[in-house]
Amino acid sequence: MSIRIGIYGYGNLGKGVEAAIRQNPDMELVGVFTRRSPESVSTRTEGVSVFHADELVNMTDKIDVLILCGGSATDLPVQTPELAKYFNVIDSFDTHARIPEHFENVDKTAKESGKIGIISVGWDPGMFSLNRLYASAVLPDGKDYTFWGKGVSQGHSDAIRRIEGVADAKQYTIPVEDALNAVRNGSAPELSTRQKHTRECFVVVEEGADKERIENEIKTMPNYFADYETTVHFISREELERDHSGIPHGGFVIRSGKTGINLEHNHIIEYSLKLDSNPEFTASVIVAYARAAYKLNKAGESGCKTVFDIAPGLLSAKDPTELRKDLL
Amino acid sequence: MSIRIGIYGYGNLGKGVEAAIRQNPDMELVGVFTRRSPESVSTRTEGVSVFHADELVNMTDKIDVLILCGGSATDLPVQTPELAKYFNVIDSFDTHARIPEHFENVDKTAKESGKIGIISVGWDPGMFSLNRLYASAVLPDGKDYTFWGKGVSQGHSDAIRRIEGVADAKQYTIPVEDALNAVRNGSAPELSTRQKHTRECFVVVEEGADKERIENEIKTMPNYFADYETTVHFISREELERDHSGIPHGGFVIRSGKTGINLEHNHIIEYSLKLDSNPEFTASVIVAYARAAYKLNKAGESGCKTVFDIAPGLLSAKDPTELRKDLL
């Protein structure tokens, strides 16, 4: 018996979930659900149907876990609590400041329906959060560092694209090597986000655009670039497509901490990701947690959960005996 | 109300646990238990009593979690199942091949007594196992690599000490940088333990001993050194004490895996530890899991558990609301 998965929303993340399900033989994709016209969407998996989102409520007995692939700004705050009335759901809600509120909303409807809702799954929030938690529990006297990159920031790329005369752009967030090394050496420096990252921009301009003005507008843009060391490269549309069409990302979570009767010993715990495809990796994490959602609900649990609440063994397709034998 | 901890066994690990408890304000050390004469043992924490191990059965209402700090060869296979009849227990059993059997033994007595027994806690088995599990669940198409070091191997140091003419010795296991980099670059090479590690030995000889013979005996020792690139340095007792008295260790768990509709994207997940004190870090992990043992038992659970069965949030002194707000 496979775990029957539904995908709601078919952007980059939804497509990543579709691909990830093919890598997990204990899962089966029931269908893709969209608010667009279903005929306008074609999936990459043969035999998988596309349904209008309105069909969902008629398919409650056909889907074990519904994976919500919408955005955190407006989609998920509404969809996750609403759909937890009918399904085990899982999302990648990543607006850190609003997680407590989102948790409460999902918890309420999921408890009422007897379903599981897992929120904020991915790598940050997600695997990075887990590593911050494990490391700080193990080394209570210490300091946490999160570095992001090298990777494409969608928000910063969009900000550049809004400048007059810009045809297209990609922005990479890059961790500062010296800052990384200072942390790894155990010196536990104080570092702001700005001291930890630089920004590199690849910009295609419209014909006749004033490059000097554009570069200046980027570098002085408040919040996004003004306080960072920022580099701007003007390139052709062909170069952008050839060299910058991927969505790589990654980063580092490091804890530097002390132990010993006089705190005389230093320890570094480092977790890092180097990802060719940000949405596909996020999707892969979500799919593993979808398995956990299924198992938890089978075991009679309900309500909202995060990665902090879920025993790691539940993510695996292997049974506990096998896991102890092979991986412990 | 503090979590009341007992320590059974007062070697390097027991001392590490004592130090770690001081870093966790929600815990209190009730006493150290030993099979030696209690008068012969003095702890480093004022006001902490040393008891003979025979006293344990009279103190079942004074201890919430008993941390077993004996060896995996003969102590823990007997002690953990036996003491799980009376206490929530936790150990660092690390004989990989015998984990399934140890699990069954502890599970039986812990279920009968209604207590929790957590086995094989530390960093390998322990944090490394967790990282192998998370990474393989997230990237099912991939390969795992574990590198150990740079660090002191007690077993290899002991093997050198048994050679005639050797007064003392320390052996470091060192990961091969080129092998590490090949893995990080995503080339997913096939690597044996031998190709991943070299061995460096610091040896103090007795007066008049034949260094050439000793070096040869080390380098040709089956299983321990014969198949490894091994370096031998003869040094003075003073140098050994000055430069090699620590017990550092560490290592790397890396998964190289693929995603995408045609498995066209590569991802690297890397977890690494750089530890000044192997036993103190192991102890710090154990103490965090002792908190989980306490919480699980309070919640009515019993039986044997491993790190795979325990939700990460249970390790933290913070409550779930705080964790979601601060670390997710």
Side-chain angles (χ1 to χ4, degrees), chain A residues 71-93:
Chain A
S72 295
T74 56
D75 298 335
L76 301 176
V78 177
Q79 290 171 1
T80 316
E82 174 61 25
L83 289 162
K85 293 178 183 168
Y86 310 99
F87 299 98
N88 297 310
V89 292
I90 178 162
D91 77 19
S92 61
F93 185 78

Side-chain angles (χ1 to χ4, degrees), chain B residues 26-81:
Chain B
D26 61 337
M27 297 188 182
E28 171 196 342
L29 178 55
V30 175
V32 168
F33 297 82
T34 177
R35 282 169 303 179
R36 290 182 269 167
S37 130
E39 302 79 51
S40 71
V41 175
S42 64
T43 69
R44 293 183 295 175
T45 307
E46 216 171 315
V48 166
S49 306
V50 181
F51 302 92
H52 193 274
D54 293 345
E55 295 291 318
L56 270 171
V57 288
N58 306 320
M59 293 178 71
T60 52
D61 60 343
K62 294 198 169 56
I63 294 170
D64 295 313
V65 184
L66 183 63
I67 298 181
L68 305 180
C69 299
S72 295
T74 55
D75 298 335
L76 301 176
V78 179
Q79 290 171 2
T80 314

Side-chain angles (χ1 to χ4, degrees), chain B residues 14 48 75 97 115 124 129 180 200 221 239 241 251-252 268 326:
Chain B
V48 166
D75 298 335
K115 300 290 184 184
D124 197 3
S129 323
L180 257 178
E200 188 169 24
M221 195 185 296
E239 286 170 314
E241 271 160 26
F252 304 80
I268 302 287
D326 298 343

